[in-house]
Amino acid sequence: MNTINPKKLHLSKWTAVRPINKEKHFLVSKITFDEEGCVEECVIEAVMTKRADAIDWNSLKDSTQWLQGWL
């Protein structure tokens, strides 16, 4: 289980355990917070192709799906 501070997510680096569309390395490119400071939207961007997808930021906590940093 990865520990994550939502306020430090922006521009953090992640490696997909199972490549997504042959893409393995991602960067959190956008974080949107609501009035209470909870994450509303998290967008990751593939490093090689610049393809962006919105994801549930809680999925980054699952070490069977994501590893912190670029490995």
Side-chain angles (χ1 to χ4, degrees):
M1 184 67 98
N2 298 318
T3 57
I4 302 170
N5 180 348
K7 296 183 192 296
K8 294 184 179 183
L9 266 178
H10 190 249
L11 299 180
S12 61
K13 299 171 183 176
W14 295 89
T15 300
V17 172
R18 291 183 195 92
I20 302 165
N21 295 328
K22 298 183 182 178
E23 298 163 334
K24 188 174 181 179
H25 297 107
F26 294 85
L27 187 72
V28 176
S29 60
K30 180 181 176 185
I31 295 288
T32 307
F33 295 95
D34 62 10
E35 294 82 27
E36 289 99 35
C38 297
V39 176
E40 272 187 348
E41 181 183 36
C42 177
V43 177
I44 60 169
E45 183 178 305
V47 175
M48 295 297 285
T49 63
K50 307 293 186 208
R51 184 181 59 83
D53 283 322
I55 64 165
D56 176 14
W57 78 276
N58 288 307
S59 69
L60 295 174
K61 294 179 183 179
D62 185 359
S63 57
T64 63
Q65 295 180 24
W66 295 99
L67 300 174
Q68 203 163 14
W70 290 340
L71 306 174

